[in-house]
Amino acid sequence: MHAIRQKCRPKHQVLILKCYPKTTKGAVDVKPNSSELSYLLFYATTRRSKVQKVGEFLEKKTASDVWRARIGNVQVTLQILAALIEKAPRDLPLYAPYVLKIFNIILRAQDVTMVESSIPTFQVFCENHDMASLSADQEYLHQYEEIVRIYASFASTRTQISSNPQSAPVAIRWRGLGLQAVKSVASSEALATVAGRQLDVIVPILLENIWTDNEEFIDILQQRSETEEHIGMEKSLSKRRASNATARTADEAGENGTALPGTTADVDKLAEENIGVLATQCLKQIFVVNNRAQVHGATTAVLKFIADRVSQKESVIENGPNDNCKGWAPRIFEMIARWTPVQDRYVILVTAMDSLVRADQVEATLMQQLVLATMVDALLKSDINLIGLSVMDVLLGLVQHILIVLQLGNVGGPHLQPDNGADEKVDTGALHGSITSEPALVPTGTRKDLLARLQNCLGDLATHVYYADQISDMVSAILLRLKPPALSPVPSTAAAIEDPKSATEALLSSTNMTEDPNTDGFFSFDTAKITALESIKLILLVASHKTMTAGNLGRNRVPIKTWEGTQWLLRDTDGRVRRAYADALLTWLDREVTNVDQQIFDEKPKGLAKSARDESFTNLTKRAVSNASKAEKPSRPSLRTTFSQLLHLAIYENALQFVDY
C-alpha cells in the first residue's frame, strides 16, 4: 500500500521525502541526505513552476511534524529551505510566503530546540529576501512583521514564553535565540525600507537587555562588543554558557563542593553579560547605517522606551548637581550618537529636542522633560561632533521652552523637524496635535530642576562652534528679548534707564507674555530675565574654553555693540536681576575684552590731514595712483558706541536711588 501511495505522489513530493533520513522519534541534530538534497535542488531550480509546490508541501509536512513532535524532521525541513534559498535566491519571492508560514508554525510551537534550529535558516532568509515584496504585497508584509514580533518576544525580559516557570539557563537561552534573530533583521537590507522597518518592535527589546542600574555595566558591554568586533569573533551564547558551566563545575566541584553555588552565580552573570553584548551589537547595527530616516526612527523608539521607564518610576538619570549628566539614559544616548555617521548625528539631538518641546505641560510629564533635557545636555556637553546642527534653532527652542516652564510662553511653540529623508512616514496628527497645558500655582522641585537643566543646555550649546560669529549670534538672540522694542512707549535706552518699570511692561506687551498674580513669584518675567542673563554667563564661560569646543574652530569675540540697549537692566526693580546683569557683564569683560580693546585712540582732525596732503604734490600723486590701482573699499561703519556712557548713567541713577542704603 505504501509503495502504491509513493507511485501516486507527484515527483517533487517524492524527491522531498527522500531527503529525510530514517530516524527515531525525538532525534535531534538530523541532517538531510546529501545526494537526494542535491537532486531536489537541481529539480526545483531548473523547473521554476515547481518551486511553489515545493514550498507548499514543506509547509504541510512541517505542520504534521510539529504536531507529532518530530524535531529531526523539522530540522531537515529548515535545512532544505536554507539550501534552496542559497541555491536560487532570485526565486525566493515565489515561495517566500510559504517560508514565513513554516517559521510561524515552528515559533508558535515554543519548542526551544526547534526555534534554535530555525535561526540559521532565518538568517539566510533575511540576507536574500526581496525588499520590493514588502511594499507590494501587504499580506506578505503582515506575515513578515508577525515573525519578527514573535522572535523579538523571545528576547524580552518581561514576557513569559510559557505558562510554566522557567529556570535561569532556559530563560537565557530563549533570550539569546531571540537576539540572534533580531540581529539578522537588523543586518538585513529590508530594515532600510519604510515597509520593512520594525524599529518599534526591535529597539525596545534590545534596550530591555541592556537595561541596568549600574552604569559601569554599560561600559563593560561596549568594551566587550568592540573587542569582539575587532577580532571578528561571534560566539554562540547557549553553547558558550553550557561549555563554561560544565568545565568550571566539574573542576571546582571536585576540589570544593561548597564552591558550586558561587560558580553557578558566576556562570549566570557571564551569560547575562553575553546577552548584553549581543544586544549592544544589534543596537549598533541599527545606528551605523548611512540612512537618516532610519536613525530618526530608531532614536524615536529609544526615546519612547525611556519615557515608558520614566512613567514606571524607574530611575534613568542620577540625582545630583546640575552639571551631573550621568545615568542610564544619557549614557545610552551618547553611545548611539557615537555610533551614528558623523553627518547624521545632529538628527539624534534634534529628535530629542522635538520630543521635549512637544511634551504636555502638566506636572506628570515634568520628570520626563527633565530626563530629555538631561540627555540633550549630556550630548551638548560631550566632544561628539554635531556638524549640520542648526545651533540657533536649538537655542530658540530652548528659550521658548524656558518661557513655557515659567508659564510665560505659548504652549505649542516651534517644532524642530529634522531632514528625515523622502521616504519617512510623517504622522501629521502628532505634528499638529494639541498639547495639554495645566497651570501650576507653586513650583515643584522637579520644575526648578528642569529650569536649571534647560539653562545648562543653553550654556553647553556653546561647546559646538561651527562658524565664527556663532557665540555673538547666540548672545544677541538672548539679549534681543531683553531690549524694549523701538515702537514701544520707551523709545530709547536712556528712557528705559529713567523708567525701568515701563521698560518691563513694554517688553511684556510686545512679546504677548502675561504674568498671573495668583501664582508664586517663580512664575514671573523677573525669573526669565535672571535665567537669560545666567545663560549668557554660561555661554561665555563655555565658549572661552577652546579645548572643549567641538570642531576646534576659531571664533570672533562678542563685540560691545551686542550689549547696546541692555543697560536699563542695571536699573531693574528686582535686585536679583541687577546682580545677574552685573555678573554677566563682568564675565564678558573678563573673557571677551582684551587689553587692546581697552585702549583709546585720538582721532586726527580732517583739516590737518588735508593740509598735509596739500604740502606735497608728489605725495598726492602717489596716493591717487595707489587708490586707483586698488579696488574701491566700502566705508567702514563707525566704531563709536554709547554703551559706556549709558552704563555710567545707569550706575549714577542707582547711586542716587540707593544713596540712603
Side-chain angles (χ1 to χ4, degrees):
M1 189 67 182
H2 179 71
I4 297 176
R5 185 183 304 170
Q6 289 296 103
K7 289 184 179 180
C8 294
R9 285 183 181 276
K11 187 174 182 179
H12 69 276
Q13 295 185 9
V14 175
L15 295 177
I16 291 173
L17 293 175
K18 286 183 178 181
C19 294
Y20 292 85
K22 294 182 180 180
T23 58
T24 59
K25 183 179 179 180
V28 294
D29 296 333
V30 181
K31 296 183 179 180
N33 298 324
S34 57
S35 58
E36 285 77 3
L37 177 60
S38 299
Y39 187 59
L40 173 63
L41 296 178
F42 173 77
Y43 177 82
T45 54
T46 55
R47 297 167 178 81
R48 299 186 63 186
S49 60
K50 300 294 184 179
V51 175
Q52 291 180 322
K53 294 182 179 180
V54 170
E56 183 180 2
F57 181 72
L58 287 176
E59 178 195 350
K60 294 179 180 179
K61 180 164 179 56
T62 301
S64 175
D65 292 336
V66 170
W67 176 259
R68 292 175 172 80
R70 295 173 178 171
I71 300 177
N73 286 354
V74 174
Q75 292 175 335
V76 172
T77 301
L78 291 169
Q79 294 177 61
I80 291 174
L81 289 175
L84 186 60
I85 295 173
E86 291 178 340
K87 182 70 175 179
R90 293 183 302 173
D91 298 337
L92 179 58
L94 299 176
Y95 59 94
Y98 298 106
V99 177
L100 293 179
K101 291 178 182 178
I102 292 173
F103 282 134
N104 198 349
I105 294 172
I106 295 174
L107 297 182
R108 292 191 180 279
Q110 295 184 351
D111 183 276
V112 66
T113 305
M114 287 193 290
V115 172
E116 185 176 15
S117 302
S118 70
I119 297 298
T121 306
F122 186 69
Q123 291 175 350
V124 175
F125 175 80
C126 290
E127 292 174 359
N128 296 277
H129 80 114
D130 188 14
M131 296 182 294
S133 302
L134 294 174
S135 302
D137 191 346
Q138 292 298 316
E139 183 179 358
Y140 176 72
L141 174 61
H142 293 327
Q143 289 179 343
Y144 176 74
E145 291 176 345
E146 182 65 19
I147 296 301
V148 174
R149 191 176 297 108
I150 295 175
Y151 270 123
S153 65
F154 293 155
S156 176
T157 59
R158 300 191 174 189
T159 303
Q160 189 72 19
I161 304 300
S162 61
S163 57
N164 299 326
Q166 297 177 343
S167 61
V170 175
I172 289 290
R173 188 179 179 186
W174 274 111
R175 289 167 58 191
L177 296 175
L179 289 176
Q180 291 179 33
V182 168
K183 188 175 183 180
S184 301
V185 177
S187 303
S188 66
E189 296 181 357
L191 196 67
T193 63
V194 177
R197 195 170 297 146
Q198 304 295 316
L199 298 175
D200 292 339
V201 178
I202 296 175
V203 174
I205 295 298
L206 298 178
L207 294 176
E208 278 186 21
N209 288 274
I210 305 176
W211 172 261
T212 178
D213 54 357
N214 184 9
E215 193 172 352
E216 295 180 356
F217 182 69
I218 300 179
D219 296 332
I220 295 175
L221 296 182
Q222 189 175 9
Q223 183 179 3
R224 279 197 53 190
S225 176
E226 293 175 354
T227 302
E228 291 188 8
E229 289 179 3
H230 182 68
I231 62 179
M233 295 177 60
E234 292 185 0
K235 299 179 180 179
S236 174
L237 181 65
S238 58
K239 292 182 180 180
R240 180 177 180 180
R241 186 190 187 285
S243 61
N244 288 341
T246 303
R248 297 183 63 178
T249 302
D251 293 341
E252 298 184 15
E255 298 176 1
N256 185 4
T258 60
L260 185 60
T263 303
T264 304
D266 292 340
V267 171
D268 290 340
K269 182 179 179 181
L270 178 61
E272 191 71 32
E273 187 176 306
N274 292 337
I275 285 287
V277 171
L278 184 57
T280 304
Q281 293 174 347
C282 295
L283 189 63
K284 182 177 181 179
Q285 191 67 36
I286 294 175
F287 282 93
V288 295
V289 298
N290 189 11
N291 189 323
R292 193 168 299 169
Q294 180 172 322
V295 171
H296 171 69
T299 305
T300 303
V302 171
L303 296 178
K304 184 178 179 181
F305 175 84
I306 293 175
D308 292 339
R309 293 288 176 165
V310 173
S311 62
Q312 297 170 11
K313 308 300 182 182
E314 297 279 1
S315 177
V316 296
I317 57 174
E318 291 185 3
N319 297 325
N322 294 329
D323 57 348
N324 181 16
C325 295
K326 295 183 179 180
W328 184 87
R331 186 71 181 85
I332 291 293
F333 208 58
E334 183 179 348
M335 190 165 60
I336 64 176
R338 293 188 184 277
W339 289 337
T340 306
V342 64
Q343 70 273 13
D344 296 331
R345 288 175 181 171
Y346 76 94
V347 175
I348 296 177
L349 179 63
V350 173
T351 304
M353 278 295 303
D354 197 53
S355 299
L356 178 62
V357 299
R358 291 180 191 279
D360 293 334
Q361 296 305 311
V362 294
E363 290 293 333
T365 63
L366 288 181
M367 178 54 69
Q368 179 181 346
Q369 296 178 49
L370 178 59
V371 171
L372 287 172
T374 304
M375 294 163 61
V376 170
D377 192 21
L379 201 55
L380 293 176
K381 196 187 295 287
S382 68
D383 59 348
I384 299 176
N385 194 332
L386 299 175
I387 189 169
L389 178 69
S390 178
V391 176
M392 297 307 298
D393 286 345
V394 175
L395 182 138
L396 295 178
L398 290 171
V399 170
Q400 178 67 20
H401 201 69
I402 287 175
L403 295 177
I404 292 175
V405 171
L406 295 176
Q407 299 181 169
L408 298 174
N410 296 324
V411 177
H415 296 323
L416 307 175
Q417 283 298 315
D419 182 11
N420 302 327
D423 62 343
E424 178 68 11
K425 294 180 180 178
V426 178
D427 187 359
T428 56
L431 290 178
H432 304 288
S434 59
I435 298 177
T436 306
S437 177
E438 181 181 285
L441 299 179
V442 179
T444 59
T446 305
R447 187 180 291 269
K448 293 180 180 179
D449 292 341
L450 175 59
L451 179 63
R453 181 61 67 184
L454 293 173
Q455 181 178 313
N456 282 353
C457 289
L458 284 174
D460 292 329
L461 192 59
T463 306
H464 304 271
V465 178
Y466 299 115
Y467 63 96
D469 292 329
Q470 177 180 310
I471 302 300
S472 298
D473 292 344
M474 293 172 62
V475 175
S476 298
I478 298 176
L479 290 178
L480 183 63
R481 286 158 173 75
L482 301 178
K483 300 177 182 180
L487 300 179
S488 65
V490 185
S492 63
T493 305
I497 293 174
E498 295 292 338
D499 191 1
K501 186 176 181 180
S502 299
T504 301
E505 294 175 354
L507 275 176
L508 287 173
S509 61
S510 63
T511 54
N512 296 325
M513 289 188 292
T514 57
E515 294 180 329
D516 189 352
N518 298 323
T519 59
D520 187 83
F522 175 83
F523 303 103
S524 64
F525 188 49
D526 290 336
T527 307
K529 289 186 285 188
I530 295 171
T531 304
L533 294 171
E534 290 178 349
S535 300
I536 291 175
K537 177 183 176 181
L538 288 175
I539 290 173
L540 296 175
L541 290 175
V542 173
S544 62
H545 296 287
K546 295 183 179 180
T547 56
M548 295 180 59
T549 304
N552 198 20
L553 298 177
R555 68 173 183 88
N556 297 331
R557 297 184 180 274
V558 179
I560 191 173
K561 65 179 181 180
T562 305
W563 296 88
E564 284 283 6
T566 63
Q567 298 92 329
W568 72 274
L569 291 170
L570 202 57
R571 293 271 296 139
D572 195 271
T573 55
D574 193 330
R576 298 174 302 167
V577 176
R578 298 195 299 270
R579 188 181 302 109
Y581 180 78
D583 200 9
L585 189 60
L586 290 175
T587 303
W588 171 77
L589 289 171
D590 180 49
R591 301 303 177 103
E592 299 295 313
V593 178
T594 62
N595 294 330
V596 178
D597 297 330
Q598 300 177 14
Q599 296 179 3
I600 300 177
F601 299 95
D602 294 332
E603 296 184 2
K604 294 183 179 181
K606 294 183 178 180
L608 294 178
K610 184 176 181 180
S611 61
R613 289 196 303 269
D614 292 339
E615 291 178 357
S616 176
F617 179 79
T618 304
N619 292 340
L620 179 61
T621 304
K622 290 181 179 180
R623 180 168 298 181
V625 173
S626 176
N627 290 338
S629 62
K630 297 180 180 179
E632 184 178 354
K633 297 182 179 180
S635 59
R636 296 179 61 185
S638 176
L639 298 178
R640 297 181 63 86
T641 175
T642 60
F643 174 78
S644 179
Q645 293 88 329
L646 293 177
L647 182 65
H648 291 158
L649 175 62
I651 296 173
Y652 179 74
E653 292 291 341
N654 272 345
L656 293 179
Q657 180 180 357
F658 301 106
V659 66
D660 295 331
Y661 286 90

